[in-house]
């Protein structure tokens, strides 16, 4: 007879303790995935049920170091359930800060057009469109495999016609010729320095390197994207970019050299995590 769900969860939490500080919580997420229900329904209705036969394999894969999102094939970002694969960065809770900043800066002027540079899974653009239901958006992505994921997530949303996921590579000339202008530009570009000793081993092993590394100092992509904002933003428009925790001063300097004002924002751990930018001559209010 199979172990009960409750017993299987206790065993799984013990196994996962070596790879995560949230072993019990992750065990519950894996069990809910195996049962095809929400975590709340799992806890309320299924604890005495027999554990599903697929659960042990899920736990073993997570215990081997595979990211939880790769094990389940999905993750939550800003209230949206998104499909993820090894071809895209797993959207992380720190990146939700970009949407919060944009909501603050554009509180009195909701954006009509939104651009997401390096859309990956589509997380930032789709989250922004969920906040502003009258907006339309464009996500550009240079990885064909990631673009497939983004388009799948776009199609799964209630109003996929408001988003366009398209191939785009800002390292190639002419990349923004046909994009037009936007009220909001979002980006979580590659920002890890090549050979950075502080990069977590599991991130280096599981996330696509093309979405991680940006030259010797991690600033290569900011040096391209930030000067382009003068052509991408409407007057009074805003850009919000994610940054590494030690890059606030450098990215702000790139913005100021491009004629933009910049403000560094901290995450919940009080580390620099994002920079918002706007035209010096534009109406930032």
């Amino acid at each position: 007879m199979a172990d009960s769900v409750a017993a299987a969860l206790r065993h799984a939490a013990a196994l996962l303790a070596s790879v995560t500080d949230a072993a019990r919580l992750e065990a519950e997420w894996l069990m809910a995935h195996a049962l095809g229900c929400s975590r709340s329904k799992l806890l309320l209705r299924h604890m005495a049920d027999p554990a599903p036969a697929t659960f042990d394999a899920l736990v073993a894969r997570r215990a081997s170091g595979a990211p939880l999102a790769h094990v389940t094939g999905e993750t939550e970002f800003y209230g949206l359930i998104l499909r993820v694969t090894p071809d895209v960065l797993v959207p992380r809770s720190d990146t939700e800060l970009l949407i919060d900043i944009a909501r603050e800066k554009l509180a009195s002027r909701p954006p009509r057009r939104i651009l997401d540079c390096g859309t990956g899974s589509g997380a930032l653009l789709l989250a922004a469109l969920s906040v502003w239901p009258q907006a339309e958006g464009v996500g550009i992505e240079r990885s064909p495999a990631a673009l497939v994921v983004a388009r799948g997530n776009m199609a799964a949303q209630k109003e996929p016609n408001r988003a366009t996921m398209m191939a785009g590579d800002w390292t190639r000339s002419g990349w923004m010729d046909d994009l037009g202008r936007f009220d909001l530009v979002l980006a979580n570009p590659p920002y890890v320095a090549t050979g950075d000793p502080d990069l977590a081993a599991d991130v280096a092993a599981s996330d696509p390197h093309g979405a991680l590394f940006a030259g010797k100092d991690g600033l290569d992509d900011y040096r391209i994207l930030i000067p382009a904002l003068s052509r991408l933003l409407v007057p009074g428009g805003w850009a919000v970019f994610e940054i590494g925790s030690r890059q606030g001063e450098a990215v702000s300097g790139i913005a100021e050299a491009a004629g933009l004002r910049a403000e560094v924002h901290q995450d919940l751990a009080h580390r620099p995590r994002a920079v918002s930018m706007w035209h010096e001559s534009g109406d930032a209010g």
Side-chain angles (χ1 to χ4, degrees):
M1 181 176 178
D3 287 341
S4 69
V5 164
L9 284 172
R10 289 193 295 271
H11 180 63
L15 289 175
L16 296 178
S18 62
V19 296
T20 174
D21 293 331
R24 174 68 188 203
L25 179 60
E26 291 198 14
E28 292 171 357
W29 281 336
L30 290 171
M31 182 64 79
H33 179 74
L35 290 169
C37 70
S38 67
R39 178 171 166 266
S40 60
K41 286 185 178 179
L42 158 71
L43 298 174
L44 289 172
R45 302 180 185 178
H46 298 292
M47 295 298 282
D49 293 350
T54 56
F55 179 63
D56 286 348
L58 297 175
V59 173
R61 193 173 168 212
R62 177 66 182 112
S64 72
L68 180 68
H70 289 177
V71 177
T72 63
E74 63 184 26
T75 193
E76 182 177 348
F77 183 84
Y78 223 82
L80 304 177
I81 301 299
L82 302 174
R83 176 175 171 261
V84 293
T85 75
D87 296 308
V88 300
L89 286 177
V90 176
R92 293 173 170 84
S93 57
D94 283 346
T95 304
E96 294 182 347
L97 175 65
L98 276 65
I99 304 297
D100 291 337
I101 294 167
R103 294 182 76 167
E104 174 191 345
K105 300 303 184 184
L106 292 163
S108 62
R109 180 182 171 173
R112 290 172 292 180
R113 296 194 78 221
I114 302 167
L115 174 66
D116 180 12
C117 293
T119 197
S121 66
L124 276 172
L125 179 59
L126 296 174
L129 293 178
S130 75
V131 170
W132 290 291
Q134 304 307 314
E136 296 181 348
V138 175
I140 61 171
E141 175 56 55
R142 65 186 173 192
S143 163
L147 198 56
V148 170
V149 177
R151 286 172 173 165
N153 282 325
M154 176 187 70
Q157 303 307 308
K158 293 181 179 179
E159 297 184 86
N161 57 307
R162 293 194 295 124
T164 301
M165 302 296 186
M166 59 185 289
D169 183 349
W170 57 74
T171 66
R172 297 179 179 272
S173 62
W175 68 274
M176 58 179 169
D177 287 350
D178 299 321
L179 290 176
R181 292 183 179 266
F182 299 85
D183 304 280
L184 173 63
V185 176
L186 299 166
N188 179 14
Y191 58 72
V192 178
T194 305
D196 185 347
D198 296 330
L199 180 64
D202 60 337
V203 172
S206 61
D207 281 336
H209 285 192
L212 289 175
F213 297 105
K216 292 182 178 180
D217 59 4
L219 299 172
D220 284 2
D221 292 279
Y222 298 114
R223 294 189 178 102
I224 299 172
L225 285 171
I226 291 175
L229 291 174
S230 62
R231 287 182 57 187
L232 291 172
L233 287 174
V234 301
W238 284 84
V240 188
F241 287 9
E242 184 165 332
I243 61 170
S245 61
R246 296 189 294 271
Q247 294 175 326
E249 183 176 350
V251 173
S252 295
I254 295 170
E256 290 164 6
L260 302 169
R261 295 286 300 276
E263 179 183 355
V264 178
H265 303 264
Q266 295 184 337
D267 59 23
L268 293 176
H270 305 292
R271 298 168 299 192
R273 183 55 58 197
V275 172
S276 60
M277 294 163 280
W278 67 97
H279 287 294
E280 180 79 51
S281 59
D283 178 10

